[in-house]
Amino acid sequence: MNRTALFLCLGAALAATPTLAQQTSGVPPLPATLAAAMEGKTVPAVGVLVIRNGEVVDQAVAGIDALGSESPATIDDLWNLGSDSKAMTVTMIARLVERGVLSWEAPLSEMLPDLAAEMRPEYRDVTLVDLMSHRAGLPENHSDEAYFRTFFTDTRPLQEQRLAYLRLAVADAPVGPTRGEPSYSNTGLILAGAIAEQATGKSYETLMQEEVFGPLGMTTAVFNQIPDAGETSGHIDGRMSVAADGNPQMILPAGGVRMTLADWARFCIDQMAGEAGRGKLLKPETYRLMHTPRGDSIVAMGWGVPPQISGRAGPALTHGGSDGNWFAFVALFPGSENGVLAVANAAETMGGEAAVKAAARAVIQTLAPAVPPAP
């Protein structure tokens, strides 16, 4: 079983409906880029979408929707974004803060008083900013694997499941000091989702539809982790994945929403336009808060913000995510409103991660100027 993972590219590595503009002259066609990225790997399918000047200019998918299938993967397929949906969770929370439903400064013990009795003192005063920038000192996940797996068959409402999980997680010993060096934590984002549920009386899933997906016209977003028959499937270890290979629904605020590349692009275009005052969801200063690294790190809220990536000058907004059965990666350059989204229906064990990074790296070379040589 693989918990949702976060991958921050550090630079040394690597309209309501977006319209397809003409492909930029001189750029290698995406099918050739995908073929090169998939060579020598067993990943069934890989897809890439390119954004230039705030518009989708090209997208392509190569491969099949599942091993043993004769159906090709298409641009209309849904892809599990893993932790790349963390930025969407942050955006939903930010909308509630802007309306005064939540506060950036309120302490955790006050936002979730039902957990206060079990909460270690080190966590009592952490804030939403701390939780969503991985600076609360929380471990990555609560470590009881057997308990975690019970959520695959838990029939309680998801809000209750999250609180049950968090009741144990907030009793875990911290891995570092609050507001120190970032330490990636799925628990932090699950806490943020539970805080939003407590404050509004609505489920995380409803809040995401109302606050993010609906306003941006993201009509394909779904929360079920295992695709229906006929949909593109995730893969692991040379086979199609099953529910127990991934994560239960309870963990969704930390990642795992599925959608088309085009709908993911709607969100990413809005993120890039936001700081210039053209975002549809938040005030410019709120987008800037989301995109500003905390402390001396490159970690912001829902994003990594390296000064360069794959030899190209930033700052960039980057993120990668996987549940072990899918892999997704995004790199955005808000200054030019250029970006690339790349996905695969397998991850590390079948070369999906490597293929996605190779395809994204090839496109990134066309999106931003090269980093000037050191004097």
Side-chain angles (χ1 to χ4, degrees):
M1 194 280 295
N2 295 278
R3 309 281 182 95
T4 301
L6 169 73
F7 301 85
L8 295 179
C9 284
L10 304 180
L14 154 3
T17 301
T19 57
L20 284 175
Q22 184 175 3
Q23 183 173 328
T24 302
S25 176
V27 176
L30 287 186
T33 298
L34 292 175
M38 295 174 71
E39 186 174 1
K41 304 172 182 70
T42 58
V43 56
V46 177
V48 172
L49 180 146
V50 182
I51 301 167
R52 295 184 189 280
N53 301 315
E55 293 186 0
V56 176
V57 297
D58 202 6
Q59 59 177 312
V61 174
I64 55 176
D65 59 9
L67 288 177
S69 170
E70 297 181 358
S71 300
T74 75
I75 60 173
D76 295 321
D77 286 331
L78 308 185
W79 306 84
N80 188 316
L81 303 185
S83 287
D84 288 0
S85 63
K86 278 181 166 67
M88 300 175 190
T89 298
V90 175
T91 301
M92 178 271 287
I93 296 290
R95 297 253 297 177
L96 298 180
V97 171
E98 285 193 348
R99 292 207 300 276
V101 177
L102 295 175
S103 166
W104 292 127
E105 293 82 22
L108 180 59
S109 59
E110 292 182 7
M111 292 186 287
L112 285 177
D114 291 347
L115 303 185
E118 292 86 1
M119 194 177 298
R120 289 182 64 104
E122 296 94 331
Y123 304 139
R124 297 182 65 85
D125 68 343
V126 303
T127 66
L128 283 167
V129 174
D130 299 328
L131 292 171
M132 297 190 297
S133 58
H134 306 287
R135 299 179 77 221
L138 287 157
E140 180 176 357
N141 304 290
H142 178 58
S143 60
D144 188 338
E145 185 73 14
Y147 176 67
F148 184 82
R149 295 184 70 82
T150 66
F151 290 101
F152 284 112
T153 55
D154 198 320
T155 59
R156 291 174 294 177
L158 289 172
Q159 300 98 303
E160 293 182 23
Q161 293 183 38
R162 289 178 188 122
L163 287 175
Y165 175 81
L166 292 170
R167 198 173 300 280
L168 298 183
V170 296
D172 288 337
V175 295
T178 302
R179 301 176 197 100
E181 288 295 314
S183 179
Y184 167 62
S185 175
N186 286 313
T187 297
L189 272 292
I190 302 172
L191 279 164
I195 289 165
E197 291 177 326
Q198 179 103 353
T200 63
K202 298 178 180 180
S203 70
Y204 168 81
E205 293 76 12
T206 296
L207 288 167
M208 293 298 291
Q209 292 287 357
E210 292 181 351
E211 302 294 342
V212 181
F213 302 151
L216 291 180
M218 299 166 65
T219 60
T220 66
V222 297
F223 297 100
N224 58 307
Q225 299 294 277
I226 296 299
D228 294 330
E231 289 188 291
T232 295
S233 299
H235 295 78
I236 189 171
D237 297 332
R239 59 173 173 80
M240 288 176 56
S241 58
V242 297
D245 293 318
N247 294 309
Q249 299 284 96
M250 177 274 295
I251 204 173
L252 276 169
V257 177
R258 294 190 300 121
M259 64 185 65
T260 61
L261 279 166
D263 267 354
W264 190 14
R266 289 176 172 86
F267 176 78
C268 293
I269 288 169
D270 187 80
Q271 289 284 298
M272 290 192 287
E275 292 189 38
R278 291 180 283 102
K280 297 179 180 180
L281 299 181
L282 301 168
K283 299 174 183 177
E285 55 268 31
T286 305
Y287 287 102
R288 284 192 285 271
L289 178 67
M290 275 189 66
H291 301 162
T292 300
R294 317 307 299 177
D296 296 327
S297 75
I298 67 163
V299 181
M301 288 195 286
W303 294 103
V305 191
Q308 57 177 282
I309 180 171
S310 293
R312 299 287 140 170
L317 301 177
T318 67
H319 212 298
S322 173
D323 67 348
N325 310 289
W326 306 76
F327 191 84
F329 175 79
V330 55
L332 308 176
F333 297 88
S336 60
E337 297 189 35
N338 293 341
V340 59
L341 319 179
V343 291
N345 60 347
E348 183 178 4
T349 64
M350 297 175 66
E353 178 179 343
V356 162
K357 288 182 176 179
R361 188 178 300 113
V363 175
I364 286 170
Q365 303 309 306
T366 73
L367 298 181
V371 176

